[in-house]
Amino acid sequence: SAWPVMAFAVIYSLLILLVALEVLMRASLKVAVCAIPYYLVTHVVYGVQFIRGFLFTRELVSRLR
């Protein structure tokens, strides 16, 4: 059934809009509108990289050395 995915998408969208409203209280409308894709993209990138690091730890090599 698709309802859990839809429920998650609706709740996530509402939370992102809530964050945008909070940003709007502190900054301009332009910044608040730009915050929406910013938060969405950062969550996706963080999630993908987390899964990559969790599953493929042998392929990771430190760049600090």
Side-chain angles (χ1 to χ4, degrees), residues 1-63:
S1 172
W3 74 265
V5 175
M6 291 300 293
F8 175 79
V10 168
I11 292 169
Y12 183 78
S13 298
L14 290 174
L15 289 172
I16 292 292
L17 288 175
L18 187 66
V19 168
L21 288 175
E22 184 180 346
V23 171
L24 183 59
M25 291 180 0
R26 302 174 195 274
S28 68
L29 178 64
K30 190 181 212 181
V31 173
V33 169
C34 290
I36 294 171
Y38 172 80
Y39 282 111
L40 195 121
V41 169
T42 56
H43 282 121
V44 169
V45 169
Y46 180 86
V48 167
Q49 293 299 328
F50 177 83
I51 292 170
R52 182 175 163 230
F54 189 73
L55 295 178
F56 305 109
T57 55
R58 292 182 205 187
E59 297 177 12
L60 296 177
V61 176
S62 177
R63 295 181 184 163

